[in-house]
Amino acid sequence: MTTKGSRDFVPALGFHWLTRWYDFTIRVTMPEREFRRRLIDLVHPRSGERVLEFGYGTGRNLQVLLSRFPSASVTGLDIDPRVRSIAVAGLDRCGMSVPLDLYDGGRFPYPDASFNTVFSSLVFHQLMPVEKHHALREIYRVLKPGGRLVTGDWGKPSGSRMRLAFYLVQLLDGFKTTGPNVRGAMPASMEMVGFQEVSQVDAIDTRVGTYCYYTARKRQGR
Ligand SMILES: C[S@@+](CC[C@H](N)C(=O)[O-])C[C@H]1O[C@@H](n2cnc3c(N)ncnc32)[C@H](O)[C@@H]1O
């Protein structure tokens, strides 16, 4: 864990000095094109919708999203200024421009009901249980009524080989943060803050664990 302002957070690959190796590590440990494609398939912004990526990291999901939906209205929110500079450079190389916001891990810097869809990938397993709850409450708050949450992250392993492989991620990112993910607790955490229609809709095995896709919806009305 690293201190940023008054908050601690886990950097993209567990330690700051590893952040510049993040994209390479994802490429060699995960079927990157496929897992990001399936994520963006689920996000699939409709015309006029506002989308937020929570924990944009090096910006790879944003690149995939904008290459498929060039007119999408998308914003990113992360906690780490170092990863932001990598994301800015990568999007710039692709000729893409996205507002990439930073915050301190507290209240999201957006009014209530700002977005139609919030999505995240590989972020919740880096948060302590109390932070997961806080982030889900903030996501719920900034979603419009009926808005969607799409999350891809480590979930219940598909078998003992995936469980064993996942110890590598746990060593890097911590056991307290990753524990609820690997026990399959993400859907219950979403329901706890009020999300409805929560379900695991897909999963993909990687070299380091089973990556699961969850969708959920904010209640219509207040
Ligand atoms: C493993 S990276 C995932 C990056 C990207 N979403 C992807 O799919 O490759 C996790 C990201 O979550 C960010 N993060 C960690 N704690 C956070 C928090 N409390 N709020 C927002 N972002 C956070 C890290 O800075 C990092 O960029």
Side-chain angles (χ1 to χ4, degrees):
M1 283 229 170
T2 308
T3 301
K4 150 85 175 61
S6 57
R7 303 273 178 163
D8 289 335
F9 67 94
V10 177
L13 217 48
F15 300 92
H16 278 307
W17 61 275
L18 285 177
T19 299
R20 66 200 183 96
W21 295 102
Y22 178 76
D23 284 343
F24 172 78
T25 306
I26 293 294
R27 262 201 307 279
V28 299
T29 57
M30 298 180 73
E32 187 182 12
R33 282 172 72 113
E34 181 61 15
F35 94 82
R36 296 199 193 280
R37 183 188 66 72
R38 290 195 207 180
L39 181 78
I40 300 307
D41 277 351
L42 290 169
V43 174
H44 199 117
R46 310 283 189 287
S47 162
E49 288 188 347
R50 289 197 67 208
V51 177
L52 174 70
E53 180 174 13
F54 171 62
Y56 51 76
T58 56
R60 299 284 296 124
N61 295 319
L62 293 170
Q63 290 174 15
V64 176
L65 188 143
L66 283 175
S67 61
R68 286 185 49 196
F69 304 99
S71 59
S73 166
V74 60
T75 300
L77 180 67
D78 203 288
I79 198 169
D80 184 356
R82 298 178 205 215
V83 87
R84 181 182 186 277
S85 54
I86 299 176
V88 168
L91 285 160
D92 205 44
R93 275 195 301 276
C94 298
M96 295 168 176
S97 159
V98 178
L100 295 179
D101 297 329
L102 286 172
Y103 82 132
D104 65 0
R107 189 177 167 88
F108 287 9
Y110 314 109
D112 297 359
S114 297
F115 298 98
N116 300 88
T117 301
V118 177
F119 76 99
S120 79
S121 163
L122 294 172
V123 181
F124 279 96
H125 78 278
Q126 298 201 319
L127 306 182
M128 295 296 269
V130 65
E131 296 168 334
K132 291 185 210 294
H133 184 72
H134 171 79
L136 284 169
R137 283 183 59 157
E138 279 297 287
I139 289 171
Y140 196 85
R141 180 181 68 76
V142 302
L143 274 172
K144 295 177 193 262
R148 293 181 310 132
L149 169 61
V150 176
T151 299
D153 210 331
W154 305 118
K156 218 172 192 164
S158 63
S160 50
R161 195 169 61 81
M162 283 296 108
R163 179 65 192 91
L164 200 61
F166 190 65
Y167 281 114
L168 183 61
V169 177
Q170 296 198 283
L171 284 172
L172 277 175
D173 288 339
F175 283 81
K176 280 193 182 155
T177 45
T178 54
N181 287 71
V182 80
R183 290 195 294 275
M186 277 300 291
S189 307
M190 292 175 190
E191 280 165 357
M192 202 179 295
V193 303
F195 278 105
Q196 299 182 329
E197 300 173 32
V198 178
S199 64
Q200 181 181 324
V201 292
D202 199 359
I204 187 165
D205 280 349
T206 77
R207 293 202 166 144
V208 288
T210 303
Y211 179 97
C212 297
Y213 298 82
Y214 309 97
T215 57
R217 195 173 283 283
K218 179 171 176 171
R219 249 194 328 265
Q220 291 282 359
R222 290 254 143 207

